[in-house]
Amino acid sequence: STWGSLHSLSMLVSKKNRSKVYKYLFNEGCLVCKKDFALPKHADTDVSNLEVMNMMKSLKSRGLVKETYNWRYLFYVLTDEGIVYLRGYFGLDENVVPKTQQKNTRSDAAIRRAEGERGPRRDHGDRDSYRGSRDGPRDGGEKKAAGGFDGAKPAFRSAGRGRGRPAGAAQ
């Protein structure tokens, strides 16, 4: 039927645009796309946003990316199968991986900080001493056991309607 053939038509995307999107996706390991069909260009790839959305939908249907939708934004993350597919698409070695898969290489200064070469830390003492000023409790003495009412017992009086009416009271 005519409807069946129209439904099977897909969007034609130029090889140049497809390569831009795939290259960005492989380099970063993820892609964020605003769900806006009228947006002229995707912010990161300089390709039509509609084309990017349709390419990502195609990759998702083949299980090459994982999609998360939140507040009109589509978040796509490459799966392991997607990494293998894009390596084959671009003819890359197995040691080339996206940024999301790379190990962090920290600078020497960051390693030294992590190992403990920091300046002296302030000693805050035991657990209760932090509640007041740095010198101890605010009033200089021990903490009071009473709450905010300073030992006074608040009285709540009502007109006697509802819960709390004494048993046997006249209505």
Side-chain angles (χ1 to χ4, degrees), residues 27-156:
N27 285 335
E28 298 296 323
C30 58
L31 185 135
V32 179
C33 184
K34 185 173 184 179
K35 189 171 182 179
D36 184 1
F37 299 103
L39 195 64
K41 296 283 181 190
H42 183 263
D44 299 321
T45 60
D46 199 36
V47 176
S48 165
N49 198 52
L50 184 62
E51 288 181 345
V52 173
M53 286 173 43
N54 283 327
M55 281 188 274
M56 298 311 294
K57 183 168 62 171
S58 172
L59 292 176
K60 179 189 164 209
S61 71
R62 292 186 273 166
L64 304 177
V65 294
K66 188 181 84 171
E67 177 189 77
T68 304
Y69 178 75
N70 191 12
W71 289 83
R72 297 196 57 162
Y73 280 89
L74 296 160
F75 299 90
Y76 295 98
V77 179
L78 270 176
T79 61
D80 292 336
E81 295 84 15
I83 293 171
V84 170
Y85 172 77
L86 289 179
R87 271 193 204 127
Y89 184 84
F90 290 117
L92 300 171
D93 294 333
E94 284 193 27
N95 59 357
V96 181
V97 292
K99 287 181 184 176
T100 55
Q101 302 266 323
Q102 292 175 357
K103 303 276 187 209
N104 286 341
T105 55
R106 299 188 300 179
S107 67
D108 291 337
I111 292 171
R112 273 183 271 146
R113 278 194 305 266
E115 290 175 353
E117 290 186 21
R118 300 171 101 176
R121 297 183 70 147
R122 289 184 280 185
D123 183 25
H124 292 292
D126 63 348
R127 183 173 175 84
D128 291 330
S129 67
Y130 81 95
R131 296 184 185 269
S133 66
R134 291 188 180 150
D135 301 325
R138 290 187 184 120
D139 60 357
E142 293 295 318
K143 283 187 84 168
K144 295 179 183 177
F149 291 107
D150 289 331
K153 294 183 179 180
F156 299 101

